[in-house]
Amino acid sequence: HRDLHSFPTRRSSDLSRASLSFDALEASETGRVLLVEDEVLIQMIAVDHLEELGYRVETSSSARDAINKIKLLKDKIDVEIVDFGLPDLKGDVLVSELRAIRSDLPIVIASGYNDAALRDKFAKDSAVTFVGKPYSRDGLNAAIASLRRLPK
């Protein structure tokens, strides 16, 4: 058995290498996402997927918090992912409120249901797309990629 004194200690050169790798990670970020999801475990899974894809993720657990964050962060958010079944405001109403704040914001609506009426409501808005729940890394990637191809 080793005692605690025999474990290697961190040298300053190790710390500088760690900060270099962190800087490289920051430089490779794909963008900043605001994820609006009220279910904690589902939110954690989605955050993991998004971070694996290289996104910096801000989270909100309610529509009201999301509205406040988009007012505060405005152009610093590249895309917003909105759970359709939020307890304080339905996703389609939240999308309308977000549009009033920032009309060019790309939005992904997440739902566990295939709701044709919801899709029809946003069919003419090319800056809105949909992703199924439960979240998957590939599903999130495809939805965001479809919005990022939009002309600025």
Side-chain angles (χ1 to χ4, degrees):
H1 294 268
R2 291 183 176 194
D3 65 16
L4 290 177
H5 300 291
S6 65
F7 283 100
T9 58
R10 201 174 270 259
R11 295 182 305 265
S12 62
S13 61
D14 293 337
L15 293 174
S16 62
R17 275 198 302 274
S19 68
L20 283 175
S21 62
F22 179 74
D23 292 342
L25 175 66
E26 268 192 332
S28 69
E29 284 182 357
T30 314
R32 195 169 186 184
V33 173
L34 177 56
L35 172 67
V36 189
E37 174 61 63
D38 63 308
E39 295 183 50
V40 176
L41 291 176
I42 293 173
Q43 185 186 85
M44 290 169 60
I45 291 167
V47 167
D48 284 348
H49 290 323
L50 291 163
E51 287 177 345
E52 286 172 7
L53 292 167
Y55 293 97
R56 182 171 174 196
V57 184
E58 302 288 335
T59 59
S60 290
S61 297
S62 70
R64 292 289 156 221
D65 184 53
I67 290 167
N68 290 336
K69 280 190 178 176
I70 207 68
K71 285 178 180 176
L72 180 70
L73 298 171
K74 287 231 180 192
D75 295 332
K76 293 180 178 144
I77 297 296
D78 298 302
V79 64
E80 185 153 353
I81 300 171
V82 175
D83 176 22
F84 180 70
L86 294 169
D88 60 335
L89 206 59
K90 288 292 179 204
D92 56 338
V93 177
L94 175 56
V95 169
S96 297
E97 291 199 21
L98 293 170
R99 282 279 175 263
I101 298 164
R102 191 172 149 206
S103 61
D104 67 330
L105 180 67
I107 298 172
V108 177
I109 298 175
S111 177
Y113 306 98
N114 187 3
D115 189 338
L118 180 63
R119 289 179 183 273
D120 288 346
K121 181 173 184 169
F122 292 103
K124 292 182 178 157
D125 189 341
S126 64
V128 172
T129 193
F130 296 86
V131 68
K133 287 176 71 177
Y135 296 110
S136 72
R137 190 175 66 185
D138 291 343
L140 288 166
N141 190 39
I144 293 170
S146 73
L147 292 173
R148 295 193 66 129
R149 286 193 288 270
L150 295 173
K152 296 267 181 190

